Protein backbone atom coordinates (compact mmCIF):
# COMPACT_ATOMS: atom_id res chain seq x y z
CA UNK A 1 0.00 0.00 0.00
CA UNK A 2 1.28 3.46 -0.94
CA UNK A 3 -0.21 5.87 1.65
CA UNK A 4 0.54 9.14 -0.27
CA UNK A 5 -1.29 8.16 -3.42
CA UNK A 6 -4.72 9.82 -3.60
CA UNK A 7 -7.51 7.31 -3.62
CA UNK A 8 -9.77 7.15 -6.63
CA UNK A 9 -12.70 8.32 -4.57
CA UNK A 10 -10.74 11.39 -3.46
CA UNK A 11 -9.70 12.11 -7.04
CA UNK A 12 -13.28 11.90 -8.21
CA UNK A 13 -14.37 14.31 -5.48
CA UNK A 14 -11.57 16.74 -6.33
CA UNK A 15 -12.48 16.70 -10.04
CA UNK A 16 -16.11 17.33 -9.19
CA UNK A 17 -15.12 20.26 -6.99
CA UNK A 18 -13.03 21.82 -9.75
CA UNK A 19 -15.74 21.35 -12.30
CA UNK A 20 -18.29 22.73 -9.88
CA UNK A 21 -16.33 25.90 -9.28
CA UNK A 22 -15.75 26.44 -13.00
CA UNK A 23 -19.46 26.09 -13.56
CA UNK A 24 -20.17 28.45 -10.64
CA UNK A 25 -17.94 31.23 -12.03
CA UNK A 26 -19.37 30.74 -15.48
CA UNK A 27 -22.86 31.18 -14.10
CA UNK A 28 -24.31 34.68 -14.32
CA UNK A 29 -25.12 36.23 -10.96
CA UNK A 30 -26.70 39.46 -9.76
CA UNK A 31 -24.42 41.94 -7.98
CA UNK A 32 -25.95 44.68 -5.83
CA UNK A 33 -24.06 47.97 -5.78
CA UNK A 34 -24.83 51.17 -3.89
CA UNK A 35 -24.95 53.92 -6.52
CA UNK A 36 -25.80 57.55 -5.79
CA UNK A 37 -28.27 58.88 -5.13
CA UNK A 38 -27.15 62.49 -5.42
CA UNK A 39 -26.03 64.67 -8.30
CA UNK A 40 -24.74 62.89 -11.34
CA UNK A 41 -23.34 60.15 -9.12
CA UNK A 42 -26.16 57.73 -9.70
CA UNK A 43 -26.22 58.29 -13.46
CA UNK A 44 -22.50 57.63 -13.97
CA UNK A 45 -22.29 54.84 -11.44
CA UNK A 46 -25.18 52.90 -12.98
CA UNK A 47 -24.05 53.52 -16.54
CA UNK A 48 -20.64 51.98 -15.88
CA UNK A 49 -21.96 49.18 -13.69
CA UNK A 50 -24.26 48.25 -16.55
CA UNK A 51 -21.40 48.37 -19.05
CA UNK A 52 -19.56 45.87 -16.83
CA UNK A 53 -22.68 43.69 -16.71
CA UNK A 54 -22.96 43.69 -20.51
CA UNK A 55 -19.28 42.74 -20.78
CA UNK A 56 -19.39 39.92 -18.25
CA UNK A 57 -22.91 38.54 -18.63
CA UNK A 58 -23.71 39.24 -14.97
CA UNK A 59 -26.44 41.63 -13.91
CA UNK A 60 -26.31 44.57 -11.51
CA UNK A 61 -28.94 45.89 -9.16
CA UNK A 62 -28.82 49.29 -7.53
CA UNK A 63 -29.24 49.31 -3.78
CA UNK A 64 -30.00 53.02 -3.58
CA UNK A 65 -28.58 54.50 -0.36
CA UNK A 66 -29.66 57.73 1.40
CA UNK A 67 -27.96 60.98 0.25
CA UNK A 68 -26.38 61.85 3.59
CA UNK A 69 -23.13 59.99 4.30
CA UNK A 70 -24.13 59.88 7.96
CA UNK A 71 -27.30 57.96 7.07
CA UNK A 72 -25.42 55.80 4.57
CA UNK A 73 -23.00 54.73 7.27
CA UNK A 74 -25.87 53.94 9.65
CA UNK A 75 -27.51 51.79 6.96
CA UNK A 76 -24.31 49.89 6.19
CA UNK A 77 -23.70 49.25 9.85
CA UNK A 78 -27.18 47.83 10.22
CA UNK A 79 -26.75 45.53 7.22
CA UNK A 80 -23.26 44.47 8.30
CA UNK A 81 -24.39 43.76 11.86
CA UNK A 82 -26.97 41.38 10.37
CA UNK A 83 -24.29 39.89 8.05
CA UNK A 84 -26.68 40.68 5.24
CA UNK A 85 -25.69 39.59 1.72
CA UNK A 86 -28.01 42.29 0.28
CA UNK A 87 -25.15 44.55 -0.84
CA UNK A 88 -22.09 43.23 -2.63
CA UNK A 89 -20.29 46.44 -3.62
CA UNK A 90 -20.33 49.38 -1.24
CA UNK A 91 -19.35 53.02 -1.67
CA UNK A 92 -17.02 53.94 1.16
CA UNK A 93 -16.32 57.49 2.26
CA UNK A 94 -12.67 58.48 2.81
CA UNK A 95 -13.52 58.73 6.50
CA UNK A 96 -14.69 55.13 6.88
CA UNK A 97 -12.03 52.50 6.12
CA UNK A 98 -11.12 52.32 9.81
CA UNK A 99 -14.76 52.16 10.86
CA UNK A 100 -15.90 49.46 8.42
CA UNK A 101 -12.69 47.43 8.13
CA UNK A 102 -14.06 44.29 9.76
CA UNK A 103 -16.87 44.00 7.26
CA UNK A 104 -14.91 44.51 4.07
CA UNK A 105 -12.93 42.09 1.99
CA UNK A 106 -9.18 42.53 1.54
CA UNK A 107 -8.90 43.44 -2.14
CA UNK A 108 -5.15 42.99 -2.38
CA UNK A 109 -5.24 39.33 -3.46
CA UNK A 110 -7.66 40.29 -6.25
CA UNK A 111 -6.21 43.60 -7.45
CA UNK A 112 -3.18 42.34 -9.42
CA UNK A 113 -1.12 45.21 -7.97
CA UNK A 114 -3.18 47.92 -9.71
CA UNK A 115 -3.25 49.94 -6.47
CA UNK A 116 0.35 51.01 -7.19
CA UNK A 117 -1.07 53.31 -9.90
CA UNK A 118 -3.31 55.27 -7.51
CA UNK A 119 -2.28 58.14 -5.22
CA UNK A 120 -0.24 56.48 -2.45
CA UNK A 121 -1.89 58.64 0.26
CA UNK A 122 -5.34 57.29 -0.67
CA UNK A 123 -4.09 53.71 -0.76
CA UNK A 124 -2.54 54.30 2.68
CA UNK A 125 -5.88 55.66 3.91
CA UNK A 126 -7.69 52.60 2.57
CA UNK A 127 -5.24 50.08 3.99
CA UNK A 128 -6.11 49.03 7.52
CA UNK A 129 -3.95 46.49 9.31
CA UNK A 130 -2.31 45.59 6.00
CA UNK A 131 -5.68 44.92 4.30
CA UNK A 132 -6.79 47.00 1.32
CA UNK A 133 -10.47 47.48 2.17
CA UNK A 134 -11.39 49.89 -0.64
CA UNK A 135 -10.18 50.70 -4.15
CA UNK A 136 -10.05 54.48 -4.71
CA UNK A 137 -12.86 55.65 -6.98
CA UNK A 138 -12.66 59.44 -6.84
CA UNK A 139 -11.10 62.00 -4.59
CA UNK A 140 -12.24 65.50 -3.67
CA UNK A 141 -11.66 68.54 -1.53
CA UNK A 142 -13.80 71.56 -0.63
CA UNK A 143 -13.77 74.38 -3.19
CA UNK A 144 -15.11 77.93 -3.38
CA UNK A 145 -17.42 78.46 -6.34
CA UNK A 146 -18.11 82.10 -7.21
CA UNK A 147 -20.03 84.11 -9.78
CA UNK A 148 -17.38 85.77 -11.96
CA UNK A 149 -19.93 88.11 -13.54
CA UNK A 150 -21.24 89.41 -10.23
CA UNK A 151 -17.84 89.96 -8.62
CA UNK A 152 -16.91 91.94 -11.74
CA UNK A 153 -20.19 93.89 -11.68
CA UNK A 154 -19.59 94.94 -8.06
CA UNK A 155 -15.83 95.41 -8.38
CA UNK A 156 -14.86 92.83 -5.73
CA UNK A 157 -11.94 90.38 -5.81
CA UNK A 158 -12.19 86.68 -4.96
CA UNK A 159 -11.98 86.67 -1.14
CA UNK A 160 -8.97 85.12 0.57
CA UNK A 161 -10.16 85.27 4.18
CA UNK A 162 -13.45 84.22 5.72
CA UNK A 163 -13.96 87.80 6.98
CA UNK A 164 -13.52 89.13 3.44
CA UNK A 165 -15.97 86.54 2.07
CA UNK A 166 -18.51 87.68 4.69
CA UNK A 167 -18.13 91.33 3.71
CA UNK A 168 -18.28 90.73 -0.05
CA UNK A 169 -21.26 88.42 0.30
CA UNK A 170 -23.10 91.09 2.31
CA UNK A 171 -22.34 93.90 -0.14
CA UNK A 172 -23.25 91.92 -3.26
CA UNK A 173 -26.38 90.44 -1.69
CA UNK A 174 -27.63 93.92 -0.75
CA UNK A 175 -26.82 95.35 -4.17
CA UNK A 176 -28.42 92.44 -6.05
CA UNK A 177 -31.56 92.64 -3.93
CA UNK A 178 -31.76 96.34 -4.66
CA UNK A 179 -31.61 95.43 -8.35
CA UNK A 180 -34.70 93.29 -7.83
CA UNK A 181 -33.31 89.79 -7.07
CA UNK A 182 -35.34 89.42 -3.87
CA UNK A 183 -34.17 85.86 -3.13
CA UNK A 184 -30.50 86.43 -3.78
CA UNK A 185 -28.02 85.17 -1.16
CA UNK A 186 -24.36 85.85 -0.49
CA UNK A 187 -23.21 82.33 0.41
CA UNK A 188 -24.57 78.80 0.43
CA UNK A 189 -22.91 75.73 1.90
CA UNK A 190 -23.75 72.57 3.90
CA UNK A 191 -24.91 73.16 7.47
CA UNK A 192 -27.38 70.37 8.14
CA UNK A 193 -26.32 68.33 11.21
CA UNK A 194 -24.45 65.58 9.30
CA UNK A 195 -20.99 64.63 8.03
CA UNK A 196 -21.02 67.44 5.47
CA UNK A 197 -21.17 70.03 8.28
CA UNK A 198 -18.14 68.39 9.86
CA UNK A 199 -16.33 68.98 6.54
CA UNK A 200 -17.48 72.62 6.28
CA UNK A 201 -16.84 73.49 9.93
CA UNK A 202 -13.39 71.90 9.81
CA UNK A 203 -12.55 74.28 6.95
CA UNK A 204 -13.71 77.33 8.96
CA UNK A 205 -11.90 76.24 12.11
CA UNK A 206 -8.74 75.20 10.33
CA UNK A 207 -8.87 78.32 8.14
CA UNK A 208 -8.83 80.43 11.33
CA UNK A 209 -5.77 78.58 12.62
CA UNK A 210 -7.92 76.63 15.09
CA UNK A 211 -6.61 73.14 14.25
CA UNK A 212 -8.44 69.98 13.28
CA UNK A 213 -10.53 69.18 16.42
CA UNK A 214 -8.32 66.20 17.36
CA UNK A 215 -4.70 66.29 16.22
CA UNK A 216 -2.69 63.50 14.63
CA UNK A 217 -1.41 62.39 18.03
CA UNK A 218 -4.97 62.03 19.36
CA UNK A 219 -4.94 65.22 21.48
CA UNK A 220 -8.26 67.06 21.69
CA UNK A 221 -7.43 70.55 20.43
CA UNK A 222 -10.81 72.08 19.61
CA UNK A 223 -11.23 74.20 22.74
CA UNK A 224 -9.38 77.26 21.50
CA UNK A 225 -10.20 80.90 20.74
CA UNK A 226 -9.76 80.63 16.96
CA UNK A 227 -12.13 77.66 16.72
CA UNK A 228 -14.73 79.56 18.77
CA UNK A 229 -14.27 82.63 16.59
CA UNK A 230 -14.69 80.58 13.41
CA UNK A 231 -17.98 79.12 14.64
CA UNK A 232 -19.21 82.55 15.78
CA UNK A 233 -18.47 83.98 12.35
CA UNK A 234 -20.36 81.12 10.66
CA UNK A 235 -23.32 81.73 13.01
CA UNK A 236 -23.35 85.39 11.94
CA UNK A 237 -24.04 84.27 8.33
CA UNK A 238 -27.37 82.58 9.09
CA UNK A 239 -30.33 84.64 7.95
CA UNK A 240 -27.88 87.43 6.93
CA UNK A 241 -25.76 86.31 3.98
CA UNK A 242 -27.07 82.72 3.94
CA UNK A 243 -30.71 81.59 3.93
CA UNK A 244 -31.94 80.14 7.24
CA UNK A 245 -32.67 76.97 5.29
CA UNK A 246 -28.93 76.35 4.96
CA UNK A 247 -29.17 74.75 8.41
CA UNK A 248 -30.82 71.88 6.59
CA UNK A 249 -28.74 71.87 3.40
CA UNK A 250 -26.65 69.02 2.08
CA UNK A 251 -24.54 69.40 -1.08
CA UNK A 252 -27.40 69.21 -3.56
CA UNK A 253 -29.58 71.83 -1.85
CA UNK A 254 -26.68 74.30 -1.94
CA UNK A 255 -26.02 73.48 -5.60
CA UNK A 256 -29.70 73.95 -6.46
CA UNK A 257 -29.71 77.53 -5.13
CA UNK A 258 -26.37 78.42 -6.71
CA UNK A 259 -27.21 76.86 -10.05
CA UNK A 260 -30.48 78.79 -10.16
CA UNK A 261 -28.43 81.96 -10.03
CA UNK A 262 -29.50 82.81 -6.49
CA UNK A 263 -26.14 82.95 -4.72
CA UNK A 264 -22.78 84.66 -5.12
CA UNK A 265 -20.62 82.04 -3.39
CA UNK A 266 -21.00 78.32 -2.81
CA UNK A 267 -18.82 75.86 -0.93
CA UNK A 268 -19.00 72.48 -2.62
CA UNK A 269 -16.98 69.54 -3.99
CA UNK A 270 -15.64 69.22 -7.57
CA UNK A 271 -18.64 67.20 -8.85
CA UNK A 272 -20.72 70.41 -8.95
CA UNK A 273 -18.61 71.85 -11.78
CA UNK A 274 -19.89 69.56 -14.55
CA UNK A 275 -23.50 70.19 -13.52
CA UNK A 276 -23.06 73.98 -13.32
CA UNK A 277 -21.56 73.93 -16.82
CA UNK A 278 -24.32 71.88 -18.45
CA UNK A 279 -26.01 73.50 -21.43
CA UNK A 280 -29.26 74.06 -19.57
CA UNK A 281 -27.59 75.52 -16.49
CA UNK A 282 -28.61 79.14 -15.84
CA UNK A 283 -25.08 79.92 -14.61
CA UNK A 284 -23.13 78.20 -17.40
CA UNK A 285 -19.99 80.22 -18.24
CA UNK A 286 -20.45 82.53 -15.25
CA UNK A 287 -18.77 80.47 -12.55
CA UNK A 288 -15.20 80.52 -11.26
CA UNK A 289 -13.51 78.15 -8.83
CA UNK A 290 -10.97 79.19 -6.21
CA UNK A 291 -9.40 77.70 -3.14
CA UNK A 292 -11.45 78.30 -0.01
CA UNK A 293 -10.73 81.41 2.04
CA UNK A 294 -8.68 81.12 5.20
CA UNK A 295 -5.29 81.70 6.69
CA UNK A 296 -4.17 79.13 5.89
CA UNK A 297 -6.77 78.14 3.30
CA UNK A 298 -7.87 74.67 4.31
CA UNK A 299 -10.00 72.30 2.23
CA UNK A 300 -11.38 69.17 3.83
CA UNK A 301 -10.29 66.04 2.01
CA UNK A 302 -13.10 63.84 0.81
CA UNK A 303 -13.65 61.13 -1.72
CA UNK A 304 -15.08 57.67 -2.20
CA UNK A 305 -13.80 54.15 -2.57
CA UNK A 306 -15.49 50.95 -3.63
CA UNK A 307 -15.26 47.92 -1.41
CA UNK A 308 -16.72 44.43 -1.27
CA UNK A 309 -18.87 43.31 1.63
CA UNK A 310 -17.54 40.33 3.51
CA UNK A 311 -21.06 38.94 3.47
CA UNK A 312 -21.34 39.01 -0.32
CA UNK A 313 -22.26 35.63 -1.83
CA UNK A 314 -20.07 36.39 -4.86
CA UNK A 315 -17.01 38.19 -3.50
CA UNK A 316 -14.75 37.55 -6.49
CA UNK A 317 -17.30 38.69 -9.04
CA UNK A 318 -18.09 41.74 -6.89
CA UNK A 319 -14.35 42.50 -6.74
CA UNK A 320 -14.21 42.28 -10.54
CA UNK A 321 -16.91 44.95 -10.73
CA UNK A 322 -14.92 47.11 -8.28
CA UNK A 323 -11.77 46.80 -10.40
CA UNK A 324 -13.73 47.78 -13.50
CA UNK A 325 -15.44 50.76 -11.86
CA UNK A 326 -12.16 52.11 -10.48
CA UNK A 327 -10.16 51.50 -13.69
CA UNK A 328 -8.46 54.30 -15.63
CA UNK A 329 -11.01 53.98 -18.44
CA UNK A 330 -14.01 54.52 -16.15
CA UNK A 331 -12.30 57.19 -14.03
CA UNK A 332 -11.47 59.11 -17.20
CA UNK A 333 -15.07 59.01 -18.41
CA UNK A 334 -16.33 60.10 -14.98
CA UNK A 335 -13.82 62.96 -14.89
CA UNK A 336 -14.77 64.23 -18.35
CA UNK A 337 -18.53 63.84 -17.96
CA UNK A 338 -19.01 64.39 -14.24
CA UNK A 339 -15.91 66.27 -12.99
CA UNK A 340 -15.15 63.52 -10.51
CA UNK A 341 -11.50 63.85 -9.57
CA UNK A 342 -9.52 60.77 -10.58
CA UNK A 343 -7.42 58.92 -8.04
CA UNK A 344 -4.88 58.01 -10.73
CA UNK A 345 -2.18 60.70 -11.04
CA UNK A 346 -1.66 59.83 -14.73
CA UNK A 347 -5.14 61.13 -15.59
CA UNK A 348 -4.15 64.64 -14.47
CA UNK A 349 -1.86 64.74 -17.52
CA UNK A 350 -4.70 63.69 -19.82
CA UNK A 351 -5.62 66.48 -22.26
CA UNK A 352 -9.30 65.57 -22.45
CA UNK A 353 -9.67 65.42 -18.68
CA UNK A 354 -8.06 68.83 -18.24
CA UNK A 355 -9.97 70.33 -21.18
CA UNK A 356 -13.25 69.44 -19.46
CA UNK A 357 -12.04 70.56 -16.03
CA UNK A 358 -9.48 73.37 -16.27
CA UNK A 359 -9.66 73.72 -12.47
CA UNK A 360 -8.21 70.24 -11.98
CA UNK A 361 -4.83 71.41 -13.26
CA UNK A 362 -4.73 73.93 -10.40
CA UNK A 363 -5.91 71.65 -7.64
CA UNK A 364 -2.43 70.69 -6.50
CA UNK A 365 -2.29 73.64 -4.13
CA UNK A 366 -5.75 72.82 -2.77
CA UNK A 367 -4.77 69.22 -2.10
CA UNK A 368 -1.42 70.31 -0.66
CA UNK A 369 -3.26 72.51 1.87
CA UNK A 370 -6.02 70.08 2.57
CA UNK A 371 -7.07 69.04 6.04
CA UNK A 372 -8.00 65.47 6.88
CA UNK A 373 -10.80 64.68 9.25
CA UNK A 374 -9.38 63.13 12.44
CA UNK A 375 -10.16 59.59 11.36
CA UNK A 376 -6.79 57.92 11.84
CA UNK A 377 -6.37 59.29 15.36
CA UNK A 378 -9.89 58.35 16.51
CA UNK A 379 -10.37 55.04 14.66
CA UNK A 380 -13.64 53.30 15.40
CA UNK A 381 -14.82 56.27 17.44
CA UNK A 382 -14.65 58.68 14.50
CA UNK A 383 -18.41 58.64 13.82
CA UNK A 384 -19.09 59.75 17.41
CA UNK A 385 -16.38 62.40 17.20
CA UNK A 386 -17.80 63.74 13.96
CA UNK A 387 -21.35 63.70 15.31
CA UNK A 388 -20.31 65.66 18.41
CA UNK A 389 -18.48 68.19 16.27
CA UNK A 390 -21.29 68.77 13.78
CA UNK A 391 -23.84 68.98 16.58
CA UNK A 392 -21.70 71.60 18.35
CA UNK A 393 -21.36 73.62 15.11
CA UNK A 394 -25.09 73.30 14.45
CA UNK A 395 -25.90 74.52 17.95
CA UNK A 396 -23.83 77.65 17.47
CA UNK A 397 -25.30 78.32 14.04
CA UNK A 398 -28.86 77.94 15.24
CA UNK A 399 -28.19 80.36 18.11
CA UNK A 400 -28.33 77.81 20.93
CA UNK A 401 -24.74 78.33 22.11
CA UNK A 402 -21.85 80.71 21.61
CA UNK A 403 -18.73 79.43 19.88
CA UNK A 404 -16.86 79.59 23.19
CA UNK A 405 -19.49 77.53 25.06
CA UNK A 406 -19.72 75.03 22.24
CA UNK A 407 -15.99 74.28 21.99
CA UNK A 408 -15.70 74.02 25.79
CA UNK A 409 -18.56 71.50 25.93
CA UNK A 410 -17.25 69.70 22.88
CA UNK A 411 -13.88 69.16 24.52
CA UNK A 412 -15.63 67.60 27.52
CA UNK A 413 -17.78 65.41 25.31
CA UNK A 414 -14.78 64.23 23.28
CA UNK A 415 -12.96 63.34 26.50
CA UNK A 416 -15.92 61.14 27.47
CA UNK A 417 -15.85 59.46 24.08
CA UNK A 418 -12.12 58.92 24.26
CA UNK A 419 -12.02 57.79 27.91
CA UNK A 420 -8.56 56.26 28.23
CA UNK A 421 -7.76 56.02 24.54
CA UNK A 422 -9.36 56.32 21.14
C1 LIG B 1 -18.46 64.30 -0.20
C2 LIG B 1 -17.07 63.82 0.18
C3 LIG B 1 -17.11 62.95 1.40
C4 LIG B 1 -17.81 63.69 2.53
C5 LIG B 1 -19.19 64.13 2.09
C6 LIG B 1 -19.85 64.96 3.16
O1 LIG B 1 -19.23 63.25 -0.67
O2 LIG B 1 -16.48 63.12 -0.88
O3 LIG B 1 -15.81 62.57 1.77
O4 LIG B 1 -17.91 62.90 3.68
O5 LIG B 1 -19.12 64.87 0.91
O6 LIG B 1 -21.14 65.28 2.82
Amino acid sequence: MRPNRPSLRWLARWTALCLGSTLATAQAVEIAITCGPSGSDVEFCLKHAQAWAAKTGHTVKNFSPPTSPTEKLALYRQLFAARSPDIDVVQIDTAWPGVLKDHLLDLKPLSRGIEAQHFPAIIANNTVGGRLVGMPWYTDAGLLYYRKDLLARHGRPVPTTWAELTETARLVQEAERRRGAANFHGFVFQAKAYEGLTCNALEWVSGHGGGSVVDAAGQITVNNAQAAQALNLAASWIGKIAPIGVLNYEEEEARGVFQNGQALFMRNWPYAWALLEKDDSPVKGKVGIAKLPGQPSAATLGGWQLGVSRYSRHPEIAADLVMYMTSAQVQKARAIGGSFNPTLPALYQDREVIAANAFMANLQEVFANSVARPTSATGLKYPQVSQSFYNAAHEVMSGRATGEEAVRRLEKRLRQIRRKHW
Side-chain angles (χ1 to χ4, degrees):
M1 190 177 156
R2 275 179 281 177
N4 284 338
R5 193 174 147 199
S7 73
L8 274 184
R9 203 182 326 142
W10 197 91
L11 205 65
R13 205 187 296 159
W14 186 76
T15 316
L17 261 176
C18 290
L19 268 179
S21 75
T22 320
L23 287 180
T25 44
Q27 214 164 50
V29 301
E30 184 178 72
I31 298 292
I33 180 170
T34 54
C35 283
S38 48
S40 46
D41 195 19
V42 67
E43 173 196 332
F44 281 95
C45 178
L46 281 181
K47 184 168 102 184
H48 293 119
Q50 265 143 15
W52 170 85
K55 194 166 80 87
T56 58
H58 298 297
T59 49
V60 285
K61 179 174 96 181
N62 189 22
F63 191 107
S64 186
T67 55
S68 146
T70 303
E71 286 164 31
K72 263 188 198 146
L73 180 62
L75 173 74
Y76 291 172
R77 290 178 119 181
Q78 232 173 13
L79 290 166
F80 288 154
R83 299 177 159 258
S84 160
D86 289 353
I87 326 184
D88 301 285
V89 174
V90 269
Q91 279 184 24
I92 308 160
D93 193 341
T94 298
W96 301 341
V99 180
L100 296 179
K101 63 181 186 341
D102 294 337
H103 306 286
L104 298 167
L105 207 70
D106 179 10
L107 296 172
K108 245 190 213 153
L110 303 163
S111 68
R112 301 203 182 103
I114 196 82
E115 62 274 18
Q117 293 178 18
H118 291 259
F119 284 117
I122 306 181
I123 294 297
N125 181 68
N126 298 359
T127 306
V128 194
R131 300 170 66 246
L132 180 63
V133 297
M135 279 302 286
W137 193 28
Y138 65 96
T139 179
D140 51 24
L143 299 171
L144 180 70
Y145 289 83
Y146 60 92
R147 286 283 300 277
K148 289 189 288 197
D149 56 330
L150 297 183
L151 285 184
R153 178 187 284 163
H154 299 284
R156 303 289 299 188
V158 177
T160 57
T161 66
W162 286 109
E164 194 187 344
L165 174 139
T166 310
E167 179 62 3
T168 301
R170 188 183 61 76
L171 280 171
V172 174
Q173 178 180 301
E174 277 173 10
E176 286 298 310
R177 286 188 181 186
R178 272 198 307 271
R179 290 171 62 100
N183 285 325
F184 190 84
H185 301 285
F187 185 31
V188 288
F189 47 96
Q190 299 80 45
K192 175 176 162 175
Y194 82 122
E195 186 66 23
L197 177 53
T198 287
C199 298
N200 281 245
L202 186 59
E203 287 159 353
W204 310 326
V205 168
S206 223
H208 277 79
S212 58
V213 184
V214 174
D215 71 14
Q219 294 300 315
I220 299 163
T221 59
V222 75
N223 187 6
N224 67 72
Q226 292 94 317
Q229 191 197 342
L231 295 181
N232 284 334
L233 180 66
S236 80
W237 298 334
I238 308 298
K240 298 285 188 334
I241 61 166
I244 293 178
V246 84
L247 290 171
N248 220 10
Y249 279 11
E250 294 182 13
E251 285 77 2
E252 282 295 88
E253 285 80 16
R255 183 179 66 83
V257 173
F258 188 78
Q259 190 151 338
N260 264 331
Q262 289 175 324
L264 174 66
F265 296 122
M266 168 175 73
R267 183 273 178 210
N268 217 322
W269 308 96
Y271 85 93
W273 174 252
L275 298 164
L276 296 171
E277 287 301 300
K278 276 197 156 175
D279 284 343
D280 61 355
S281 162
V283 295
K284 181 180 167 68
K286 297 178 177 166
V287 177
I289 295 184
K291 62 181 180 181
L292 286 167
Q295 282 175 332
S297 161
T300 300
L301 258 191
W304 291 83
Q305 348 299 315
L306 292 178
V308 174
S309 160
R310 255 197 167 154
Y311 316 110
S312 163
R313 291 201 181 103
H314 315 287
E316 293 194 0
I317 300 174
D320 189 61
L321 173 57
V322 167
M323 297 308 154
Y324 177 80
M325 297 288 281
T326 56
S327 66
Q329 175 200 347
V330 172
Q331 288 209 11
K332 178 171 170 172
R334 289 172 54 89
I336 294 172
S339 58
F340 291 102
N341 267 73
T343 60
L344 296 150
L347 288 178
Y348 290 81
Q349 315 296 328
D350 186 293
R351 267 187 306 116
E352 288 169 277
V353 169
I354 298 303
N357 306 284
F359 73 93
M360 280 190 193
N362 307 323
L363 275 186
Q364 254 161 352
E365 199 196 336
V366 170
F367 280 111
N369 294 319
S370 61
V371 48
R373 283 164 272 178
T375 49
S376 317
T378 60
L380 279 173
K381 294 184 179 170
Y382 174 73
Q384 282 170 277
V385 170
S386 176
Q387 188 185 34
S388 311
F389 180 48
Y390 65 64
N391 279 340
H394 205 264
E395 252 174 45
V396 179
M397 299 179 85
S398 42
R400 286 179 286 131
T402 64
E404 287 74 10
E405 283 160 1
V407 294
R408 203 177 318 122
R409 272 190 243 147
L410 178 59
E411 179 184 37
K412 232 166 115 190
R413 175 84 191 103
L414 293 179
R415 285 220 172 114
Q416 284 165 354
I417 295 171
R418 181 181 62 186
R419 278 196 233 126
K420 289 206 185 69
H421 50 78
W422 293 112

